[in-house]
Amino acid sequence: MSNTPVQPESGQSESAQPEPQQTSADSGQNVPYMRKIRSFVLREGRLTKGQQNALDNHWPVLGLNYQSSSLDLATVFGRSAPVVLEIGFGMGKSLVEMAKNAPDKDFIGIEVHKPGVGACLGDAAAAGLSNLRLFEHDAVEVLNDSIADESLDTVQLFFPDPWHKKRHHKRRIVQPEFVQLLRKKLKIGGVFHMATDWQNYAEHMLEVMQAAPGFQNESASADYVERPAHRPLTKFEQRGQRLGHGVWDLMFKRIS
């Protein structure tokens, strides 16, 4: 696999990364934080007519508003099913495809960029999906406040901003404190699935996750896994493969 990086897929983003106080990861309380180091730059862009129409027409059904208390996901979806949450879904093509291919699961997407939310809403409605809901909000705040502990079966983070300059590495969302927040929200046996096209970020993710209490690497070689069939191969990724660029998938299971 080549070490040549390619730029992240346009529109994909991360949410804010907390800088927490000293606290026990096993305290059972929400992870506190005093100030935020943003891991995204909010670039709104101009909404197309179709994106605005999708927001106007489909948000009431498929949209979720941030709230300071935990949502009852069984009530949200009208059933009890495994829940997959994706952080930074970009324009939402892959998320819609995954939800369409797995009707037995419920999907939640979090994105801060309104055009991507509008695009995803339009595609989800066109596909007739009832197992997908979207937040347009900061993912850390959603996870801290709106998502109950031990309620998620999978958390996905695909092609996040790599913040490749060393002075910006603190903005990378995969940090020890953030991982422990995800640990609380995942069920025992739940999986945190990451993918990146930047080798340095892949190495950073691996280092953070190997040191994270409560997680076990799903890789037989103790590093990366092959792209699982349920993660769609995007046009961006196919182009990168033709050019010899690498993509690294990591999957870690919560074991305690």
Side-chain angles (χ1 to χ4, degrees):
M1 185 175 290
S2 170
N3 295 342
T4 306
V6 294
Q7 291 294 333
E9 187 168 17
S10 174
Q12 293 197 341
S13 62
E14 295 178 341
S15 193
Q17 170 63 33
E19 184 171 278
Q21 301 169 343
Q22 295 295 321
T23 183
S24 170
D26 299 307
S27 64
Q29 300 176 353
N30 283 348
V31 176
Y33 53 99
M34 298 176 63
R35 67 183 180 88
K36 294 176 182 176
I37 299 174
R38 296 286 177 182
S39 66
F40 63 87
V41 176
L42 192 58
R43 299 177 296 273
E44 277 301 314
R46 183 174 296 179
L47 286 165
T48 67
K49 185 176 180 180
Q51 291 165 357
Q52 186 61 65
N53 287 340
L55 286 162
D56 293 340
N57 295 326
H58 304 305
W59 181 263
V61 175
L62 300 179
L64 293 174
N65 295 313
Y66 162 81
Q67 63 182 50
S68 58
S69 58
S70 297
L71 291 165
D72 183 336
L73 297 182
T75 299
V76 167
F77 289 101
R79 64 175 184 174
S80 294
V83 177
V84 179
L85 182 144
E86 181 165 335
I87 298 170
F89 58 76
M91 302 305 283
K93 295 289 187 183
S94 295
L95 181 58
V96 168
E97 184 175 345
M98 284 185 286
K100 183 177 179 179
N101 292 338
D104 57 323
K105 297 180 180 180
D106 291 327
F107 290 79
I108 298 173
I110 307 177
E111 178 56 64
V112 293
H113 297 286
K114 192 178 291 290
V117 175
C120 189
L121 284 171
D123 288 343
L129 298 181
S130 61
N131 64 332
L132 176 61
R133 299 291 187 274
L134 305 180
F135 280 99
E136 183 195 344
H137 200 79
D138 179 314
V140 169
E141 292 185 357
V142 170
L143 286 162
N144 261 306
D145 301 329
S146 303
I147 303 298
D149 292 352
E150 299 190 347
S151 64
L152 304 176
D153 293 85
T154 305
V155 174
Q156 299 178 164
L157 180 68
F158 298 153
F159 303 102
D161 192 325
W163 293 102
H164 59 278
K165 294 181 179 179
K166 189 172 182 178
R167 69 178 183 272
H168 291 155
H169 284 185
K170 65 183 179 180
R171 293 183 177 271
R172 291 175 167 177
I173 194 169
V174 180
Q175 304 289 351
E177 296 83 7
F178 179 73
V179 169
Q180 289 307 310
L181 172 60
L182 295 186
R183 177 186 172 192
K184 289 174 49 185
K185 303 304 171 177
L186 284 166
K187 299 175 183 177
I188 300 293
V191 172
F192 180 28
H193 181 189
M194 297 152 277
T196 181
D197 55 319
W198 285 79
Q199 185 181 18
N200 176 264
Y201 200 3
E203 292 167 350
H204 168 86
M205 289 173 169
L206 184 61
E207 181 180 357
V208 170
M209 294 306 301
Q210 285 177 327
F215 283 95
Q216 175 180 288
N217 197 343
E218 293 289 88
S219 168
S221 54
D223 47 18
Y224 310 107
V225 299
E226 294 295 321
R227 179 185 63 86
H230 64 260
R231 181 173 77 74
L233 185 65
T234 65
K235 291 181 180 179
F236 147 83
E237 195 173 346
Q238 289 174 329
R239 183 175 67 248
Q241 286 184 346
R242 289 195 298 270
L243 295 172
H245 298 156
V247 172
W248 292 264
D249 280 75
L250 302 89
M251 299 181 74
F252 280 76
K253 179 170 67 175
R254 182 188 173 189
I255 58 173
S256 66

